[in-house]
Amino acid sequence: MVHELAEYERAPELCHLTEAQLSAALFGPRPALFGHVAVDAADTPVGYALWFLNFSTWEGVHGIYLEDLYVRPAARGTGAGRLLLSTLAGICVARGYARLEWWVLNWNPARDFYHAIGAGPMDEWVPYRLTGPALVTLAAAVTPPVG
């Protein structure tokens, strides 16, 4: 379904995830990625949420960063997305986490759903990303510690 999400987000050529990579991230010796799957009455997967922990230095506690939330088109409007988000909100509340955060493309109609559940955009923050050659160049600038 991750590749389905990439198709939906109009960037299938950018999704290189393999089943082995996802399995290692979720079920390896030190998992740092967590996931939930929504299923229909026939036990067929219809959606998923993949997330990891972040940390608020101002609040002094963890939060959840939702990397992916995807519900297959045929299952949209059934409550699967709300159930996935409710599950993550429940984890936050039970563990004392301060927040549940995610990004959404500005054209995604799911933004109406997010507003309806009380989520709001963080317009004052601008996301930045360092990848590819720029990432390698910056990494090469590190001077190994002496001693």
Side-chain angles (χ1 to χ4, degrees), residues 1-2 4-5 35-40 43-50 68-76 78-85:
M1 280 190 280
V2 173
E4 291 176 32
L5 174 60
H36 300 271
V37 177
V39 296
D40 63 13
D43 211 30
T44 302
V46 297
Y48 73 92
L50 291 175
D68 287 350
L69 176 67
Y70 178 72
V71 176
R72 288 183 163 148
R76 292 181 188 151
T78 65
R82 179 180 288 272
L83 181 60
L84 288 164
L85 282 174

Side-chain angles (χ1 to χ4, degrees), residues 13-73:
E13 71 284 355
L14 299 178
C15 186
H16 306 288
L17 180 73
T18 67
E19 187 176 330
Q21 288 172 317
L22 183 58
S23 181
L26 288 167
F27 306 114
R30 295 178 57 201
L33 180 69
F34 307 94
H36 300 271
V37 177
V39 296
D40 63 13
D43 211 30
T44 302
V46 297
Y48 73 92
L50 291 175
W51 58 277
F52 52 88
L53 293 178
N54 59 21
F55 187 82
S56 169
T57 55
W58 290 16
E59 297 284 338
V61 296
H62 283 289
I64 287 178
Y65 181 80
L66 176 60
E67 178 66 22
D68 287 350
L69 176 67
Y70 178 72
V71 176
R72 288 183 163 148

Side-chain angles (χ1 to χ4, degrees), residues 1-2 12 32 34 47 51 56 87 91-92 101 103 116 129 134 136 146:
M1 280 190 280
V2 173
F34 307 94
W51 58 277
S56 169
T87 299
I91 292 169
C92 287
E101 297 180 318
W103 290 5
R129 179 174 290 161
V136 172
V146 177

